[in-house]
């Protein structure tokens, strides 16, 4: 069915449709996965939507420690104005958050809108929005 639809469209639209379809199938919101940091695995809640703007879902990844201490860390995933879920899948990212998870901190990896569509003031607004979302649902995430 997807092939039939894409043959009728311009190549750019077909690619966008296929990408959107693939993301919907692969990354279901609230999907629980496991993040492996070193020799330990931690539950990871993927694509938690903390807001929307201009038709774009703002998401975060939530890493839960084995023994939560009731505290959370907001980690803004950003590099040169770009922010994406793929950055949280890198071994270097998991090595950085591993000590925090080991000490019981719940990690909220916030993904903001990326440049060039969004600029630094927008990144700050996204981070602020994510903190409001986390504070409002603190009991759901097991933090104080």
């Amino acid at each position: 069915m997807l092939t039939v639809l894409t043959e009728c469209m311009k190549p750019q639209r077909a690619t966008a449709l296929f990408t959107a379809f693939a993301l919907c199938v692969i990354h279901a919101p609230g999907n629980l996965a496991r993040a492996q940091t070193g020799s330990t695995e931690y539950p990871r809640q993927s694509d938690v939507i903390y807001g929307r703007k201009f038709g774009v879902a703002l998401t975060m990844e939530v890493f839960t420690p084995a023994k939560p201490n009731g505290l959370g860390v907001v980690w803004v995933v950003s590099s040169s104005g770009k922010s994406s879920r793929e950055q949280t899948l890198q071994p270097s990212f998991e090595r950085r958050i591993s000590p925090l998870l080991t000490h019981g901190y719940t990690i909220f990896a916030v993904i903001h809108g990326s440049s060039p569509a969004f600029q630094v003031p927008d990144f700050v607004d996204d981070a602020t929005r994510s903190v409001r979302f986390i504070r409002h649902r603190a009991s759901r995430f097991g933090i104080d």
Side-chain angles (χ1 to χ4, degrees):
M1 179 175 85
L2 191 59
T3 306
V4 173
L5 288 173
T6 57
E7 287 178 5
C8 301
M9 300 178 169
K10 294 180 181 179
Q12 296 87 357
R13 283 201 152 166
T15 303
L17 176 65
F18 180 77
T19 303
F21 177 77
L23 289 174
C24 290
V25 171
I26 295 170
H27 304 295
N31 184 23
L32 273 180
R34 303 239 27 67
Q36 187 168 359
T37 56
S39 60
T40 311
E41 287 190 6
Y42 297 96
R44 171 191 189 126
Q45 193 174 358
S46 295
D47 297 328
V48 176
I49 298 173
Y50 67 87
R52 296 182 189 278
K53 68 177 179 186
F54 303 111
V56 176
L58 300 170
T59 63
M60 69 173 73
E61 306 287 305
V62 181
F63 297 86
T64 307
K67 296 178 184 174
N69 64 11
L71 300 174
V73 173
V74 175
W75 190 294
V76 179
V77 179
S78 188
S79 177
S80 301
K82 306 285 185 202
S83 185
S84 70
R85 179 177 182 273
E86 286 72 28
Q87 291 170 308
T88 67
L89 301 173
Q90 300 300 318
S92 59
F93 176 79
E94 292 184 354
R95 278 194 305 274
R96 284 186 227 135
I97 66 170
S98 183
L100 296 168
L101 289 166
T102 302
H103 286 92
Y105 294 95
T106 301
I107 308 295
F108 300 93
V110 175
I111 301 161
H112 61 73
S114 293
S115 63
F118 302 104
Q119 301 302 318
V120 173
D122 300 314
F123 306 162
V124 173
D125 291 343
D126 293 350
T128 303
R129 182 179 297 178
S130 71
V131 170
R132 280 196 311 264
F133 176 87
I134 293 165
R135 291 182 76 174
H136 184 71
R137 291 163 181 80
S139 61
R140 173 182 161 201
F141 295 117
I143 60 171
D144 182 12

